[in-house]
Amino acid sequence: MTGRTAVPEVIWARPERAGRGPRAAHSRADIAAAAVRIADVDGLDAVSMRHVATELGCGTMSLYNYVPRKENLYELMVDAISGEHEPWEPTGDWRADMLRVAHQTRALMHRHPWLPRLMSPVYGFSPNALRYLEHCLVCLDPLDASYGTKMELIAMLNGVVTTYVGNELATAERTRSLPWSAEQEQAMRIAYLGSRIATGAYPRMAAAFTQDAGPIDLEAVFERALGRVLDAFEPKG
């Protein structure tokens, strides 16, 4: 295919700048930071090689000497954000430490709302991602399980956080686009739902709402979801 090498390559295995000529004017960190700034302000769809080159004050074609394709640019961005994870001295309580990791990841995704769209195991082995994974494994040292199981735990916890935050961001974005408030819409939908349940056609739904008709505590739901993932990895004694 035109513009692509015949074999896959890892951006981290490449020199920072391909080809000969003067010393590199930009680092990968510079390029990633420019792309992140654009995504934070204008969204991921605004990130392009041309836009990043303009941000850096260089020509678009010269940027390809550093980043061969847009997928590589995304990988640089994910690595840059992975570097925002702040490691700490593990407490010896693997559950508490992994809950702290999950909350840190959630906060990070809210700072960079485009990040859930780029979460992929393909990007999981960049320099900062490897440091993050190593820290997680240190936190999991007290857990009596194989490293394969521990990696599965990390992946599942990240999956829950990514899905939850993705839904939070999508809901917030939808709410901002509506001409009425979220409370007005919720009241309208609850009234409609109540009218449907009152027909008697949905007895189990009626029983469910009778048991718990109050507003859903989304923070509690998040905590329960994390807890249930961790419960699945508790050693069976």
Side-chain angles (χ1 to χ4, degrees):
M1 184 180 295
T2 303
R4 292 180 180 268
T5 58
V7 294
E9 61 180 359
V10 177
I11 184 66
W12 311 107
R14 290 172 54 92
E16 286 239 359
R17 181 182 182 277
R20 300 176 181 178
R23 185 176 178 178
H26 305 287
S27 68
R28 284 180 181 149
D30 295 332
I31 296 167
V36 167
R37 285 195 298 272
I38 293 168
D40 284 349
V41 173
D42 298 320
L44 185 61
D45 292 337
V47 176
S48 67
M49 299 295 271
R50 177 179 295 178
H51 200 164
V52 173
T54 300
E55 180 80 8
L56 292 170
C58 67
T60 303
M61 294 310 297
S62 68
L63 192 60
Y64 284 98
N65 288 321
Y66 303 89
V67 187
R69 54 182 61 83
K70 194 172 183 179
E71 301 97 289
N72 300 138
L73 183 59
Y74 287 159
E75 189 163 0
L76 294 182
M77 294 169 67
V78 173
D79 181 68
I81 302 309
S82 296
E84 293 184 19
H85 277 282
E86 298 177 3
W88 62 88
E89 187 65 30
T91 65
D93 182 339
W94 66 268
R95 287 183 66 106
D97 286 335
M98 292 312 295
L99 285 172
R100 182 173 175 179
V101 168
H103 282 282
Q104 190 179 82
T105 300
R106 183 186 180 194
L108 189 152
M109 288 183 174
H110 275 285
R111 287 201 302 273
H112 307 284
W114 48 270
L115 185 60
R117 287 179 57 185
L118 292 186
M119 293 303 288
S120 165
V122 174
Y123 300 153
F125 300 100
S126 65
N128 284 323
L130 286 173
R131 282 189 282 272
Y132 161 77
L133 288 170
E134 182 68 17
H135 175 66
C136 288
L137 290 172
V138 172
C139 291
L140 289 171
D141 273 346
L143 176 62
D144 183 16
S146 69
Y147 280 114
T149 298
K150 292 176 181 181
M151 292 293 284
E152 184 178 337
L153 185 160
I154 296 167
M156 290 181 68
L157 207 61
N158 276 334
V160 169
V161 175
T162 301
T163 300
Y164 194 90
V165 174
N167 287 336
E168 285 182 313
L169 295 171
T171 299
E173 179 64 26
R174 180 180 182 278
T175 299
R176 283 193 293 270
S177 70
L178 295 175
W180 49 73
S181 70
E183 292 74 18
Q184 288 175 308
E185 180 170 24
Q186 182 180 35
M188 176 270 296
R189 292 187 178 276
I190 288 175
Y192 171 78
L193 183 59
S195 71
R196 295 299 88 206
I197 289 176
T199 65
Y202 311 100
R204 290 168 182 79
M205 289 292 293
F209 280 98
T210 299
Q211 287 181 1
D212 188 3
I216 298 173
D217 184 343
L218 296 178
E219 291 299 318
V221 171
F222 181 64
E223 294 295 338
R224 284 197 297 272
L226 297 178
R228 285 165 179 162
V229 171
L230 298 179
D231 287 346
F233 292 89
E234 281 279 8
K236 303 298 187 286

